[in-house]
Amino acid sequence: MPVTHEPVDFIREIVAADVQSGKHGGRVATRFPPEPNGYLHIGHAKSICLNFGIAQEFGGTCNLRFDDTNPTKEEVEYVESIKESVRWLGFDWEDREYYASDYFDRLYDYAIDLIKAGKAYVDALSAEEIRQYRGTLTKPGRNSPCRDRSIEENLDLFTRMRAGEFADGAFVLRARIDMASPNINMRDPTLYRILKVPHHRSGDKWLIYPMYDYAHPISDALERITHSLCTLEFEDHRPLYDWTLDQLDVPSHPQQIEFARLNVSYTVLSKRRLLELVEGRYVSGWDDPRMPTLVGLRRRGYTPESIRDFCARIGVAKSEGVVDVALLEHCLRDDLNRWVPRRMAVLRPLRVVIENYPEGQVEDVDVINNPEDPPAGTRKVPFSRVLYIERDDFREDPPKKFYRLSPGREVRLRCAYFVKCERVVKDDRGEIVELRCTYDPGTRGGNAPDGRKVKATLHWVSAAHALPAEVRLYDRLFSVESPGAGGRDYKEDLNPNSLEVVYPACLEPSLASATAGERFQFERLGYFIVDQDSSEDRLVFNRTTTLKDAWTRIEGRQL
Ligand code: ATP
Ligand code: MG
């Protein structure tokens, strides 16, 4: 069973208290608000599980809202992939699919209200000047010379900004709050900018676009969100969130609550960096199986269940930290181990000839599909005189504690027979090309009636029946825990061995019918999934993960 803790975190405590006290009429409404400027990653999964999870637990609703206020970076491709990833994770926003861009008219009207109330003004300072006037953490800002423009003048200029009379950057609309505020976000933040760029939804209707900090609280309020959950970097923006809603006649005033963003070791979780990896061709695309994107994890063989389990286990808190990627991998194995069928595959084949096995004979031996899942039954696997075993499973000169095959030693071939290595055959360069073995016909099924024991059980594939396949062995994308730590370029920390392609690996013949997305445990090697590149001519498998679980060790040590 997966350990699905029901974490009563501080956010759920707030929501529960609000429901009890009848705040918002006892309603719970959350939203997941991605900006469609990239593909979702595992960090977003935390936010998705939190927002949709709370809605489910409290009988509320969760909206999917695209925060599409920056047309220079946003694309339809991203919108589509985000929808698909949220669905894949197992969440349903029903008919509640919203776009900040759908509110552009209303956002504009609200801006007019602010101007009329003397709460916003059109500024002619350049971006650089605005920065200089803003002051610093220790120095208050200075008022812009435009700050006291008349309301009429502001209305006139803002209308003309909208009409396209001015060049990009000539003017901005700013909130009129307090240039001396200790919170820099409150020093007359920009609300609107001129951007003569078409938008993926509104087309060329708009030549000015609202800033995120202005559009976000209003979008939340229009959707009557009750709890607006966001990551900690927005904590300092909360006064602006509240200020904006306090000035306007909006239908509701949601409560913004911040939580720590997810960081995972051995990877990066910033869309900017992920985009850079894609564009720089460090990976094959957003769905490269080494990427921490949801499409990448999916292609790698992660299940939505394992990601949801991971999000449940890490919980939600106020303090930033780095979660060990071993926990994510542990959640994955925990899931796969219960239901994924096992097969035999040899990645680096070493030929074995069983000298006393009749030439031309083939036996179908019964092999257990999943010892964790007895109803999964058995399957027939052909056994014959010439087999492949894993090169690593043989040592001519075995060190201590190497219990697998070596000259003169007997081992079990899984569910088949005991075999003993009699002789090693080498080529002119001294490379081992073949082992000559004998088998004990009395050990059929893999057990000796005389009770004699062997110390190792190897997987094997009959050479004449072996199915060739390409196997992509993925490892972590970065070779250090915190890529880019200490000011290094994070790309210098890319793991040069994050992908090794093996061809041809030799698979048992039952895998001939495997189709894209099917998962298998290759005995003793790890979990694998058939890749979308797979075809009838060339089967392609991705290694999802090895079998070795580092987390059990780490957790054991921590307890
Ligand atoms: P990035 O920093 O990767 O570019 P972002 O915050 O700009 O991410 P958005 O599309 O704005 O990405 O995020 C949508 C939602 O997901 C936001 O509410 C954001 O706070 C949340 N989110 C983004 N990254 C993480 C993370 N690493 N952990 C938890 N939540 C996250
Ligand atoms: Mg963002």
Side-chain angles (χ1 to χ4, degrees), residues 35 212 234 271:
E35 185 183 348
Y212 174 85
F234 291 102
K271 280 186 277 188

Side-chain angles (χ1 to χ4, degrees), residues 213-228:
D213 274 341
Y214 172 71
H216 193 78
I218 299 177
S219 305
D220 280 348
L222 291 175
E223 291 172 21
R224 299 182 67 237
I225 298 302
T226 57
H227 300 84
S228 175

Side-chain angles (χ1 to χ4, degrees), residues 65 98-108 219 222-223:
R65 172 175 353 113
Y98 300 113
Y99 295 81
S101 56
D102 290 342
Y103 309 135
F104 281 170
D105 280 304
R106 277 190 273 181
L107 290 163
Y108 180 82
S219 305
L222 291 175
E223 291 172 21

Side-chain angles (χ1 to χ4, degrees), residues 316-370:
V316 180
K318 270 270 183 202
S319 54
E320 291 260 356
V322 181
V323 175
D324 195 321
V325 70
L327 175 60
L328 178 61
E329 293 163 352
H330 172 74
C331 293
L332 174 66
R333 289 189 190 97
D334 213 37
D335 180 17
L336 300 182
N337 193 40
R338 267 175 292 128
W339 61 275
V340 172
R342 303 191 183 187
R343 295 290 183 267
M344 291 198 285
V346 174
L347 296 185
R348 294 176 180 87
L350 174 60
R351 207 174 127 90
V352 169
V353 178
I354 301 175
E355 294 184 318
N356 59 338
Y357 195 86
E359 200 117 23
Q361 179 173 312
V362 178
E363 272 174 273
D364 277 331
V365 300
D366 291 310
V367 182
I368 296 162
N369 283 331
N370 185 357

Side-chain angles (χ1 to χ4, degrees), residues 32-35 41 43-44 46-47 231 259 261-262 269-271:
F32 172 62
E35 185 183 348
H41 52 62
H44 292 110
K46 174 176 179 177
S47 178
T231 35
F259 62 94
R261 68 169 38 229
L262 170 66
L269 293 185
S270 129
K271 280 186 277 188

Side-chain angles (χ1 to χ4, degrees), residues 244-314:
T244 306
L245 298 181
D246 285 341
Q247 310 311 311
L248 299 168
D249 184 18
V250 284
S252 76
H253 190 137
Q255 178 182 0
Q256 174 177 310
I257 307 171
E258 308 86 17
F259 62 94
R261 68 169 38 229
L262 170 66
N263 301 299
V264 179
S265 62
Y266 294 97
T267 194
V268 294
L269 293 185
S270 129
K271 280 186 277 188
R272 190 179 52 76
R273 287 178 169 181
L274 297 177
L275 178 65
E276 195 176 16
L277 292 175
V278 172
E279 290 186 335
R281 299 194 172 274
Y282 297 94
V283 293
S284 65
W286 286 98
D287 68 347
D288 185 299
R290 291 164 294 183
M291 290 281 271
T293 50
L294 296 181
V295 285
L297 292 167
R298 178 183 185 173
R299 189 167 174 192
R300 175 76 168 257
Y302 273 78
T303 58
E305 290 80 7
S306 62
I307 296 176
R308 293 200 304 263
D309 181 31
F310 171 72
C311 291
R313 291 194 205 204
I314 57 174

